Amino acid sequence: MDSHPNTRPAFARWLGTTNDVTRMFLAAGRIPGLINMAGGLPAPETYPAEAVAEIARRAIAEHPGDTLGYGPIEGLPELRDALARRFSSDALHLTRENVLVTTSGMQGLDLIGKVLLEEGGIIAGQFPTYLGALDAWRPRLPQFRNLMLDQPGFDAATLFAGAQFAYTVPNFSNPTGKLVDLPTRAALVDAAHRTGTWLVEDDPYGGLHYDAPPLPRLIELSARQTARTPYDGPVLYMGTLSKEIAPGLRIGWVIAAPEMIAVLTLAKQGSDMCTSGVTQRIALGALEAGLIEQIQPAIVDLYRRRRDALCAAMTEHLADSFQWEVPSGGMFVWATARDQKLDTDLLLKRAMESGVCITPSSVFDAAGENRRAIRVNFTRNEPDQLREGVKRLATAVKAMQANRN
């Protein structure tokens, strides 16, 4: 019998504001027979296993100190240099002082919250908002000011005012899959420069263009206004190898003004000390070998065909229940229920019972109030599975409607 009942401290109060959806859809792939269309998961058959294995073998054999020992908090200098070269342009001049290597893109989000957010501070975030970003910043108990980029009269400068930073995913946004157009990109950058607000550009999907050429990055547009070397403007550009090579590498980066990289490095010091030397050397070897350029065309072609298969199946089975736009890139279709009373939190439970997993819109809303849409991933599954998953989802929708009636 416990002789000291009720003496343990309570868990942190921010835990009461979160959800377990991410844990659920990452685990869903291990449920027999379940079709997982929830997570932003790459297709495993695209992983360049043999190439990565050979790069890893050489990295450990030739650089045992870098791969098996502790490394610089900022990241391996050679990798920082490679990333600076990769993202530099005629307007954007980068050096290693502009680059922090992170343990995945998620760590970048966490560190940004640590250095910019005071408890209760305001974040101006593109809405709906990536749930991983919401989760990363919840411990600071922030207030969220929604950026409705498609809303008539959208005024970025007014919405940025008083915010500790602004957050956007301009390339095929998670969750909506939308590509932010060039005038809106320019307006976001101009607002950041005029107000002095830090602007976070999260770009995990920038390599997944299916139907149109890429638009300029926000940091590129910002550099055109500053023209300093190294870049010292207000945009923080975040990237990752998770979608271009493989998520298991857990390699990401933040590219920003040197003063921002310096404070993010201090925060990283208390987070993980340094990113894995093994995966950093693999990343460097992959970049030097042009591995992304070698595999990207096949990945883009595969994902384009899967997007088309999903949208065709949705048109056949869900058009009466949902409306959506076909994304021109990325990993997701965002579908909004035609019936304003359809609760997609409840639909998730019914869908799981029917053997398919999707993500409800409430988890992309800091207030949890948007419960009328779903995010559907098309990159993970083959076309036949996508079609079957949509049929199961349609069955779940009909069952919900029948019970309500």
Side-chain angles (χ1 to χ4, degrees):
M1 181 176 179
D2 190 345
S3 59
H4 300 283
N6 303 319
T7 57
R8 293 183 179 130
F11 292 117
R13 60 194 174 100
W14 71 267
L15 289 166
T17 70
T18 191
N19 63 77
D20 63 356
V21 168
T22 299
R23 180 180 59 81
M24 181 189 71
F25 67 62
L26 287 175
R30 297 184 178 275
I31 299 176
L34 182 77
I35 298 176
N36 185 1
M37 299 164 65
L41 306 176
E45 60 266 36
T46 66
Y47 301 158
E50 291 185 7
V52 170
E54 176 58 21
I55 293 170
R57 185 195 65 77
R58 291 179 55 192
I60 295 172
E62 297 174 9
H63 304 279
D66 286 348
T67 54
L68 302 180
Y70 290 111
I73 298 170
E74 301 94 327
L76 292 177
E78 298 92 334
L79 179 55
R80 295 170 69 204
D81 289 341
L83 290 167
R85 289 192 300 270
R86 184 173 183 83
F87 292 103
S88 288
S89 67
D90 290 343
L92 179 60
H93 305 293
L94 302 172
T95 72
R96 71 173 62 163
E97 302 306 314
N98 293 112
V99 181
L100 174 70
V101 178
T102 59
T103 305
S104 79
M106 278 299 302
Q107 185 182 53
L109 294 171
D110 178 62
L111 297 178
I112 288 167
K114 286 180 176 177
V115 304
L116 291 180
L117 270 179
E118 300 293 351
E119 185 170 319
I122 296 172
I123 300 170
Q126 182 177 349
F127 185 83
T129 310
Y130 169 46
L131 75 96
L134 296 177
D135 285 345
W137 300 325
R138 285 184 201 277
R140 304 284 170 169
L141 301 174
Q143 303 175 60
F144 285 90
R145 182 182 294 161
N146 293 334
L147 301 179
M148 314 286 284
L149 302 186
D150 295 331
Q151 193 172 60
F154 171 71
D155 183 350
T158 298
L159 293 166
F160 281 21
Q164 292 184 271
F165 63 90
Y167 174 74
T168 182
V169 185
N171 288 323
F172 318 117
S173 172
N174 185 349
T176 64
K178 288 191 175 181
L179 180 67
V180 176
D181 63 30
L182 185 56
T184 305
R185 292 174 187 238
L188 290 167
V189 170
D190 185 62
H193 278 267
R194 285 196 287 133
T195 64
T197 306
W198 294 105
L199 173 59
V200 178
E201 177 183 12
D202 194 359
D203 191 26
Y205 314 107
L208 300 179
H209 287 259
Y210 309 140
D211 300 326
L215 294 175
R217 299 182 179 96
L218 304 188
I219 195 170
E220 170 82 16
L221 297 175
S222 172
R224 295 175 189 176
Q225 297 192 28
T226 60
R228 292 191 182 125
T229 303
Y231 172 77
D232 68 349
V235 175
L236 291 76
Y237 177 79
M238 295 179 55
T240 173
L241 294 183
S242 292
K243 308 304 187 288
E244 293 188 306
I245 297 182
L249 294 177
R250 311 313 293 146
I251 289 289
W253 53 83
V254 180
I255 295 174
E259 64 172 317
M260 173 58 71
I261 296 301
V263 295
L264 290 171
T265 300
L266 287 176
K268 181 175 169 66
Q269 176 178 303
S271 176
D272 68 351
M273 190 76 72
C274 61
T275 296
S276 163
V278 173
T279 55
Q280 286 191 78
R281 271 287 167 187
I282 293 173
L284 178 59
L287 292 176
E288 291 177 340
L291 183 58
I292 293 174
E293 290 73 21
Q294 294 169 31
I295 66 176
Q296 190 174 58
I299 293 174
V300 167
D301 182 63
L302 178 71
Y303 290 172
R304 182 190 294 113
R305 287 185 280 111
R306 291 185 175 185
R307 175 205 61 181
D308 293 347
L310 173 66
C311 290
M314 291 177 67
T315 298
E316 182 177 355
H317 298 286
L318 288 172
D320 291 340
S321 303
F322 288 90
Q323 55 189 353
W324 62 89
E325 295 180 2
V326 178
S328 60
M331 290 184 151
F332 307 110
V333 170
W334 180 254
T336 302
R338 297 183 185 277
D339 181 353
Q340 296 187 12
K341 295 181 180 179
L342 193 148
D343 185 328
T344 53
D345 278 13
L346 298 179
L347 176 60
L348 170 61
K349 297 176 182 177
R350 180 73 71 167
M352 292 286 285
E353 293 170 358
S354 298
V356 63
C357 184
I358 45 86
T359 310
S361 54
S362 63
V363 301
F364 305 106
D365 177 357
E369 296 175 353
N370 182 355
R371 301 176 70 159
R372 195 179 145 205
I374 56 174
R375 186 191 74 178
V376 187
N377 168 263
F378 54 80
T379 56
R380 176 77 172 184
N381 295 291
E382 296 180 359
D384 287 347
Q385 291 176 298
L386 292 170
R387 285 188 282 269
E388 177 60 26
V390 170
K391 289 180 183 178
R392 294 179 185 183
L393 181 59
T395 298
V397 172
K398 291 175 183 176
M400 276 188 65
Q401 293 172 333
N403 287 346
R404 195 174 65 200
N405 295 333

